[in-house]
């Protein structure tokens, strides 16, 4: 990751009291405008059932158009993601990366966006969310690195992804903070 992107992101204990886990640049630095993380999870259209998965789940991300991404790596959310990920294959190709569910070092090392904490009065946001739908022309052999999977396989909508983009240069040792209520179009 350091050789390719110029920085490494890792989950560690947050610098915010009572925040739990956070995401840090641990090596190198991320220039302004860099994709520093992805928000992994199961993608639910606005009309799909997410009630039981959402109970006491702080990892449900709501996109501007009502699409939801469940980035929880535990309990029912984990079971649903694994089931959908196992279902979606095209010949020898896996269509998603499920390693973020079980390992500290996922195949896609950017799949840690659900652990980025909200900014505070003391800690300004240094990343923002950018939503996009994966284009049809996206190479099939690279789909295995995307940490998102559709809940319903037969939906016509393209796969939704959300990345976190640096708002300024972020140096080694800095924790990533977003504003949970700001989305860039």
């Amino acid at each position: 990751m350091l050789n390719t992107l110029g920085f490494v992101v890792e989950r560690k204990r947050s610098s915010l009291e009572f925040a739990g886990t956070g995401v840090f640049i641990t090596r190198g630095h991320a220039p302004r405008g860099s994709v520093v993380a992805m928000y992994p999870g199961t993608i639910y259209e606005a009309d799909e059932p997410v009630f039981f998965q959402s109970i006491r789940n702080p990892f449900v991300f709501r996109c501007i158009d009502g699409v939801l991404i469940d980035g929880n790596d535990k309990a029912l959310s984990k079971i649903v993601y694994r089931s959908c990920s196992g279902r979606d294959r095209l010949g020898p190709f896996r269509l998603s990366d499920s390693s973020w569910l079980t390992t500290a070092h996922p195949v896609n090392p950017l799949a840690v966006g659900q652990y980025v904490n909200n900014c505070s009065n003391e800690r300004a946001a240094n990343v923002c969310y950018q939503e996009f739908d994966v284009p049809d022309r996206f190479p099939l052999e690279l789909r295995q690195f995307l940490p998102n999977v559709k809940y319903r396989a037969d939906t016509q909508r393209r796969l939704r992804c959300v990345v976190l983009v640096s708002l300024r240069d972020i140096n080694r040792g800095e924790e990533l903070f977003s504003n949970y209520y700001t989305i860039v179009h």
Side-chain angles (χ1 to χ4, degrees):
M1 186 173 187
L2 183 62
N3 292 337
T4 303
L5 300 175
F7 61 90
V8 174
V9 292
E10 292 182 49
R11 295 183 306 181
K12 296 178 9 179
R13 177 105 181 112
S14 177
S15 61
L16 296 175
E17 191 174 2
F18 307 115
T21 301
V23 178
F24 292 78
I25 300 291
T26 58
R27 295 173 63 194
H29 80 281
R32 180 179 188 256
S34 299
V35 172
V36 295
M38 295 185 76
Y39 201 99
T42 305
I43 310 301
Y44 293 90
E45 297 297 320
D47 64 338
E48 292 175 336
V50 70
F51 176 75
F52 290 109
Q53 296 91 316
S54 69
I55 295 173
R56 299 188 63 160
N57 183 352
F59 296 104
V60 176
F61 181 92
R62 181 179 170 83
C63 297
I64 200 154
D65 61 357
V67 169
L68 301 174
I69 302 176
D70 181 3
N72 196 346
D73 58 4
K74 295 175 181 51
L76 182 57
S77 298
K78 181 178 184 176
I79 293 167
V80 169
Y81 186 95
R82 277 199 162 155
S83 175
C84 294
S85 180
R87 166 199 72 204
D88 294 347
R89 294 184 70 89
L90 191 56
F93 297 108
R94 289 182 300 124
L95 300 180
S96 62
D97 171 24
S98 61
S99 65
W100 65 273
L101 291 169
T102 57
T103 179
H105 303 287
V107 170
N108 179 343
L110 296 176
V112 295
Q114 76 276 35
Y115 288 104
V116 171
N117 286 306
N118 196 31
C119 61
S120 66
N121 290 335
E122 297 79 32
R123 308 283 170 85
N126 54 13
V127 298
C128 65
Y129 298 99
Q130 177 66 57
E131 302 174 6
F132 70 95
D133 292 331
V134 177
D136 293 333
R137 66 185 183 281
F138 190 81
L140 183 61
E141 62 275 10
L142 297 179
R143 288 283 305 265
Q144 65 185 323
F145 301 109
L146 296 179
N148 300 90
V149 65
K150 295 178 189 177
Y151 176 73
R152 192 172 69 217
D154 63 350
T155 184
Q156 295 301 309
R157 182 191 286 264
R158 295 180 185 145
L159 180 68
R160 173 66 51 90
C161 286
V162 173
V163 296
L164 288 89
V165 178
S166 57
L167 295 170
R168 60 169 177 78
D169 289 353
I170 304 173
N171 297 312
R172 182 176 56 89
E174 286 190 74
E175 185 171 359
L176 304 181
F177 293 105
S178 66
N179 183 330
Y180 286 175
Y181 303 106
T182 303
I183 298 173
V184 177
H185 298 285

